[in-house]
Structure formats: structure tokens, C-alpha cells
């Protein structure tokens, strides 16, 4: 299984998990927001035009994702520079 790309922006505590080839630009055609009450937070699922899951946006990422995932993620904030 190929590695999954994860980005993290600590300044807004948001992570994005990509399920697409980093060399290919794929645009989201539909975003499905998970019920914030059911998941105790805000998680959005992005789908392409064929209905395939292409990524997951996780807000309040430190409370939803394991620390090792965020530590290994590509940083988008100034601390990651």
C-alpha cells in the first residue's frame, strides 16, 4: 500500500489526509460534512466526480488524530518551515 500524504497546520489545528497521487491534481466535486455531534468534532470527506473518496479534512486535529500522525505530517504553518 502506498504512503498516504498528510498535511497539518498547527495555527488552525487542521489536518488533511490525501488519498490521491501527489503528482496528479484532483479537485473535490463534493464535500460531505460528517455530523459534528456524531463524531464530536468537524470532519469533512471530499469526493471526486466519480464518487471516490479523495481526502479527509480534520478540524481540531489534535483531539481526533494520533500524535504520531501529526508529527509526521507535512507542516503548513510557520513552525513547519
Amino acid at each position: 500500500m502506498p504512503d498516504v500524504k498528510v498535511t497539518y497546520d498547527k495555527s488552525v489545528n487542521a489536518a488533511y489526509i490525501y488519498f490521491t497521487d501527489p503528482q496528479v491534481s484532483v479537485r473535490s466535486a463534493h464535500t460531505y460534512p460528517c455530523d459534528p455531534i456524531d463524531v464530536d468534532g468537524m470532519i469533512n470527506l471530499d469526493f471526486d466526480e466519480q464518487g471516490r473518496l479523495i481526502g479527509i479534512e480534520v478540524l481540531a486535529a489534535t483531539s481526533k488524530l494520533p500524535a504520531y500522525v501529526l508529527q509526521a505530517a507535512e507542516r503548513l504553518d510557520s513552525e513547519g518551515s
Side-chain angles (χ1 to χ4, degrees), residues 32-44 59-60 63-64:
Y32 174 81
C34 296
D35 185 325
I37 295 170
D38 286 347
V39 297
D40 191 29
M42 194 65 206
I43 298 173
N44 295 309
L59 306 178
S63 70
K64 297 291 165 221

Side-chain angles (χ1 to χ4, degrees), residues 8-11 75-81:
Y8 176 59
D9 187 333
K10 185 176 182 179
S11 65
R75 293 293 292 270
L76 301 177
D77 54 88
S78 59
E79 287 186 31
S81 301

Side-chain angles (χ1 to χ4, degrees), residues 53 56 72:
L53 181 64
I56 302 172

